[in-house]
Amino acid sequence: MKITEGSLRKTNACEEAVKFFIENFPNGNEIQEWTPLHQFMMLKHPITRKWFGWAFRNELIPLWSMKNYDLSGADLRGAYLRGANLRGANLSGASLWGADLSGAYLGRANLSGAYLREADLRGANLTEADLSGAYLRGAKRHEKDEKIPGWKVVNGILRKE
């Protein structure tokens, strides 16, 4: 698979993304095989993680399951992880500030000490997830979503009880 300036423009990429791409890949980016490692590196990069969801939605890259990944301490601020399979993933101490985790499967995930301020957790499955010490203030959640012990939903935002 080859991503070029033309393929980005064809899918209406923002100018910031096109400029970044041209500066880093002036001849395009030939990816022989998109692997979970490529995905992980894109999500960890402070600039490219914000375009991850867009690239997936526009079919430039596939989405790999991140079941049982060790993402402890990862800086995933603003990452697009909507609908991602993070079952059993280790996200302890990860920064997920403003991340889109709506509809994500986080069952049995370790989110202890994770920073989830303003993260979108609407519709996320948190069954048996370890949220001990997680910072959830300002995170988004539906009133009908599974309750998180010690937290309540007020106008779609989590508040400490």
Side-chain angles (χ1 to χ4, degrees), residues 74-109:
D75 183 351
L76 298 169
R77 287 174 289 173
Y80 179 94
L81 296 165
R82 180 181 290 178
N85 180 359
L86 291 158
R87 181 179 190 270
N90 183 3
L91 291 154
S92 63
S95 176
L96 291 152
W97 185 350
D100 185 349
L101 291 157
S102 58
Y105 186 70
L106 292 154
R108 305 190 77 199

Side-chain angles (χ1 to χ4, degrees), residues 9-150:
R9 293 199 184 279
K10 184 178 176 185
T11 53
N12 298 315
C14 67
E15 280 306 310
E16 179 188 8
V18 172
K19 182 180 176 189
F20 175 85
F21 185 82
I22 292 169
E23 287 172 1
N24 289 278
F25 306 102
N27 298 315
N29 188 8
E30 181 77 41
I31 301 169
Q32 297 299 323
E33 179 182 1
W34 181 258
T35 67
L37 179 60
H38 287 102
Q39 178 171 299
F40 179 71
M41 297 307 291
M42 185 174 185
L43 285 169
K44 283 193 70 165
H45 191 279
I47 296 174
T48 60
R49 67 174 161 240
K50 66 183 171 184
W51 299 313
F52 177 79
W54 175 88
F56 169 68
R57 282 192 314 274
N58 284 281
E59 300 179 352
L60 294 173
I61 58 172
L63 179 64
W64 284 95
S65 168
M66 290 180 278
K67 179 179 175 183
N68 298 320
Y69 266 45
D70 184 357
L71 299 167
S72 56
D75 183 351
L76 298 169
R77 287 174 289 173
Y80 179 94
L81 296 165
R82 180 181 290 178
N85 180 359
L86 291 158
R87 181 179 190 270
N90 183 3
L91 291 154
S92 63
S95 176
L96 291 152
W97 185 350
D100 185 349
L101 291 157
S102 58
Y105 186 70
L106 292 154
R108 305 190 77 199
N110 180 0
L111 291 158
S112 62
Y115 193 74
L116 291 152
R117 181 182 183 141
E118 298 174 14
D120 190 343
L121 298 171
R122 292 176 290 191
N125 182 331
L126 295 165
T127 304
E128 297 183 41
D130 180 358
L131 290 162
S132 59
Y135 188 95
L136 296 165
R137 195 158 307 212
K140 299 170 189 83
R141 192 93 170 129
H142 290 304
E143 306 249 351
K144 64 179 181 181
D145 286 338
E146 178 184 354
K147 302 293 181 217
I148 299 172

